[in-house]
């Protein structure tokens, strides 16, 4: 009987378990091990009184096929919901609220037109003149997004337009985020000979397509996690795996699980590093060089509260509140405006996010301090003074891997080293994209390779 162990029951591990059951058949022994009390990793759905609410990821890019296809496979297509088409996001910058610039690539403009309302005249001139300044880029190069944008367009574009968007997706800042990993189409345009950043952005921007970009799940991600676990018919083991070895017969040995034919590690990079350093030192070291950013989400529920008709607010770096103290929140999601299925339940729901790579001390403050910071920043940014009837604090230690300059090359080395180890596969958000669709794709490919090797 073929046996496999999957370490990590986040979306990556659960998708792998589901796929392996289909690939290996009913008789295979599939074990999924996790150190946490619940499945899901960075996905978590809680009941805020009015119904289930996601306090980790709350959406996915629905223009990518992976999640809609997975939902269809599991008979869950009815769960797919779309955000409001009329509620637009706002940007808090320079002490005021603005519409989030449109026509940018992750906040990087092609011309000054899209960011005119949020930067000064000198920056606008600099953006427009940029096309006449020679750009030094050798195909295959990488750079920090912030360094590239600040050098070409000036630091205001970075702080006011790029950082708020990257802060949302990577919990990072543009100064530590790789162009090649985070903006592959921009890297391709630069490799392809674009003569300026403006021209590269123009080439790299996605072609506008009708319909919403994002999707969500009516009853939250919990429904998908449970369906994947059920479909995998995996044995669940609750253990903090600290050791991975091979016995004399070539089988993998995991304490608490025993000997298995194949292993799929779907844990964060530092954990994979610890497990593999004794198997392949160089691979363990490469994995250990991938840092994580911590963040926290405070979900606030109101019986009633006067929210604007917007989906949320992103906060630029360096924003001060009305007393001159830096705002603590990096983003507000006005969930009951953004998602019609949440609005239908009555009441209002807001998610306030804190913490960025290198600036995450707030994440470990007590719950009451985080709730108070969320309410004070909400009052400062949106004038909301209502008292929430419910509050939930979720900390995400090591929530998101950082895609720093050189990330793509490092992952290529990791993939090559892992491929040389028989019947071992890696999956997870640190490899080929942090979003849920990318995790689904990476885990599916890893499961396919492992099944082929068994
Ligand atoms: C606040 C936040 C908001 C996000 N929002 C979005 C969004 O809106 N859309 C989107 O697409 N993506 C979003 N993401 C990203 C996405 O949620 C994650 O990248 C993804 O869920 C990661 O899944 P994973 O399975 O790779 O890793 P994880 O979820 O980290 O799972 C790893 C699992 O391994 C287990 N584990 C760790 N160490 C051990 C050990 N030693 N032994 C056994 N088990 C172990 C953990 O308990 C965990 O269950 C968000 C992330 C965060 C933090």
């Amino acid at each position: 009987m073929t046996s496999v162990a999957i370490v990590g029951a986040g979306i990556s591990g659960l998708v792998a378990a589901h796929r392996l059951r289909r690939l290996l058949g009913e008789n295979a022994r599939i074990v999924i091990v996790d150190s946490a009390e619940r499945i899901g990793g960075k996905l978590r759905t809680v009941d805020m009184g009015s119904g289930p609410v996601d306090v980790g990821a709350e959406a996915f890019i629905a223009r990518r096929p992976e999640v809609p296809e997975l939902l269809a496979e599991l008979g869950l297509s009815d769960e797919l919901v779309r955000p409001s088409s009329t509620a637009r996001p706002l940007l808090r910058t320079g002490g005021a609220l603005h519409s989030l610039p449109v026509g940018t690539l992750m906040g990087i403009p092609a011309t000054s037109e899209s960011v005119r309302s949020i930067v000064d005249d000198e920056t606008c001139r600099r953006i427009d003149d940029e096309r006449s300044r020679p750009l030094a880029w050798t195909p295959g190069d990488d750079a920090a997004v912030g360094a590239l944008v600040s050098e070409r367009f000036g630091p205001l574009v970075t702080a006011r337009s790029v950082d708020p968007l990257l802060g949302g997706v990577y919990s990072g800042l543009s100064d530590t985020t790789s162009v090649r990993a985070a903006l592959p189409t921009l890297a391709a345009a630069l490799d392809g000979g674009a003569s300026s950043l403006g021209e590269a952005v123009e080439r790299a921007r996605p072609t506008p397509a009708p319909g919403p970009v994002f999707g969500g799940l009516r009853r939250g991600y919990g429904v998908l996690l449970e369906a994947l676990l059920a479909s995998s018919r995996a044995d669940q083991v609750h253990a903090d795996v600290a050791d991975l070895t091979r016995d004399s017969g070539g089988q993998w040995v995991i304490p608490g699980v025993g000997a298995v034919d194949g292993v799929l590690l779907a844990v964060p990079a530092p954990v994979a590093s610890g497990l593999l350093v004794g198997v392949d030192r160089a691979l363990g070291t490469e994995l250990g060089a991938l840092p994580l950013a911590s963040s926290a989400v405070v979900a606030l529920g109101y019986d009633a509260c006067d929210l604007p008709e917007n989906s949320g607010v992103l906060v630029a770096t360096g924003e001060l509140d009305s007393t001159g103290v830096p705002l603590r929140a990096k983003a507000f999601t006005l969930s009951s405006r953004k998602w019609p299925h949440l609005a239908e339940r009555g009441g209002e729901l807001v998610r306030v996010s804190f913490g960025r790579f290198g600036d995450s001390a707030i994440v470990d403050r007590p719950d009451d301090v985080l709730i108070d910071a969320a309410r004070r920043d909400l009052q400062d940014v949106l004038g909301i003074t209502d008292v929430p009837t419910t509050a939930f604090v979720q900390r995400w230690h090591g929530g998101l891997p950082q895609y720093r300059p050189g990330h793509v090359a490092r992952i290529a080395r990791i993939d090559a080293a892992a491929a040389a180890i028989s019947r071992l596969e890696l999956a997870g958000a640190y490899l080929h994209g942090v979003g849920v669709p990318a995790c689904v794709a990476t885990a599916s490919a890893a499961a396919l390779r492992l099944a082929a090797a068994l």
Side-chain angles (χ1 to χ4, degrees):
M1 181 172 71
T2 307
S3 56
V4 288
I6 296 154
V7 187
I11 187 71
S12 300
L14 289 167
V15 164
H18 160 73
R19 295 266 178 255
L20 282 165
R21 174 59 67 201
R22 296 203 166 182
L23 291 161
L24 299 177
E26 282 311 310
N27 291 332
R29 176 177 176 239
I30 299 176
V31 183
I32 188 157
V33 196
D34 203 292
S35 50
E37 294 295 332
R38 56 172 186 83
I39 59 168
K42 306 308 176 321
L43 302 179
R44 185 175 189 190
T45 308
V46 299
D47 197 332
M48 291 279 293
S50 60
V53 173
D54 282 317
V55 290
E58 49 131 30
F60 50 85
I61 295 183
R63 286 205 183 136
R64 286 186 60 143
E66 292 89 349
V67 178
E69 279 175 14
L70 191 59
L71 293 173
E73 252 178 70
L74 295 161
L76 291 175
S77 294
D78 286 355
E79 293 289 332
L80 178 54
V81 287
R82 303 291 187 168
S84 155
S85 57
T86 51
R88 308 289 311 154
L90 296 170
L91 178 66
R92 156 78 182 232
T93 182
L97 287 171
H98 301 264
S99 295
L100 191 72
V102 290
T104 70
L105 180 72
M106 205 55 148
I108 312 176
T111 66
S112 64
E113 207 41 53
S114 43
V115 289
R116 190 166 293 282
S117 61
I118 59 164
V119 298
D120 56 18
D121 290 346
E122 193 198 323
T123 303
C124 285
R125 271 195 298 278
R126 197 164 161 178
I127 297 169
D128 292 333
D129 292 347
E130 192 261 344
R131 295 198 184 215
S132 56
R133 281 201 295 130
L135 172 71
W137 183 274
T138 309
D141 267 2
D142 199 4
V145 178
L148 178 67
V149 174
S150 295
E151 195 273 314
R152 302 300 295 180
F153 292 160
L156 275 190
V157 177
T158 304
R160 297 187 169 182
S161 188
V162 185
D163 273 345
L165 283 156
L166 283 178
V169 178
Y170 289 95
S171 274
L173 286 177
S174 50
D175 275 342
T176 49
T177 305
S178 148
V179 170
R180 192 163 289 283
L183 302 170
T185 59
L186 184 67
L190 292 166
D191 287 351
S195 62
S196 66
L197 181 57
E199 188 193 326
V201 169
E202 218 157 66
R203 287 197 205 172
R205 272 185 314 203
T207 340
V213 177
F214 294 101
L217 292 165
R218 187 178 302 283
R219 288 178 291 157
Y221 269 111
V223 173
L224 173 61
L225 301 171
E226 290 298 341
L228 287 167
L229 182 64
S231 134
S232 76
R233 290 179 293 289
D235 298 336
Q236 269 185 280
V237 172
H238 179 223
D240 189 349
V241 178
D243 197 30
L244 178 66
T245 50
R246 258 187 156 145
D247 66 16
S248 54
Q251 284 206 305
W252 292 106
V253 181
I254 297 176
V257 174
V260 288
D261 302 314
V263 167
L264 192 147
L265 297 182
V267 287
V271 180
S273 165
L275 292 176
L276 287 173
V277 78
V279 176
D280 177 333
R281 175 159 294 280
L283 172 59
T285 306
E286 290 277 19
L287 287 162
L290 294 164
L292 305 172
S294 295
S295 59
V297 172
V298 177
L300 300 173
Y302 298 84
D303 286 342
C305 129
D306 200 10
L307 295 179
E309 294 298 329
N310 295 95
S311 56
V313 185
L314 295 175
V315 179
T317 38
E319 282 298 294
L320 304 179
D321 72 8
S322 51
T323 65
V325 171
L327 283 174
R328 291 133 294 225
K330 63 176 181 181
F332 306 87
T333 307
L334 309 182
S335 307
S336 47
R337 292 283 183 271
K338 177 174 177 179
W339 298 103
H341 72 284
L342 294 180
E344 280 166 16
R345 294 178 187 170
E348 304 288 2
L349 189 71
V350 177
R351 283 172 35 134
V352 186
S353 305
F354 298 92
R356 290 185 172 104
F357 183 56
D359 180 19
S360 58
I362 191 164
V363 172
D364 286 317
R365 303 303 307 280
D367 282 10
D368 57 340
V369 173
L370 278 165
I371 292 169
D372 186 54
R375 290 190 56 203
R376 277 195 289 150
D377 284 1
L378 254 182
Q379 176 170 358
D380 197 274
V381 171
L382 288 171
I384 290 164
T385 52
D386 304 82
V387 180
T389 44
T390 50
F392 188 91
V393 176
Q394 175 69 50
R395 292 178 186 76
W396 292 115
H397 290 112
L400 280 159
Q402 296 302 289
Y403 281 25
R404 293 189 298 182
H407 185 84
V408 172
R410 188 183 297 285
I411 296 303
R413 294 195 294 275
I414 287 173
D415 279 342
I421 304 173
S422 71
R423 291 177 280 114
L424 174 101
E425 290 294 340
L426 303 177
Y430 62 91
L431 286 164
H432 300 287
V434 297
V436 171
C439 290
V440 173
T442 303
S444 299
L448 203 61
R449 288 192 302 269
L450 186 58
L454 288 169

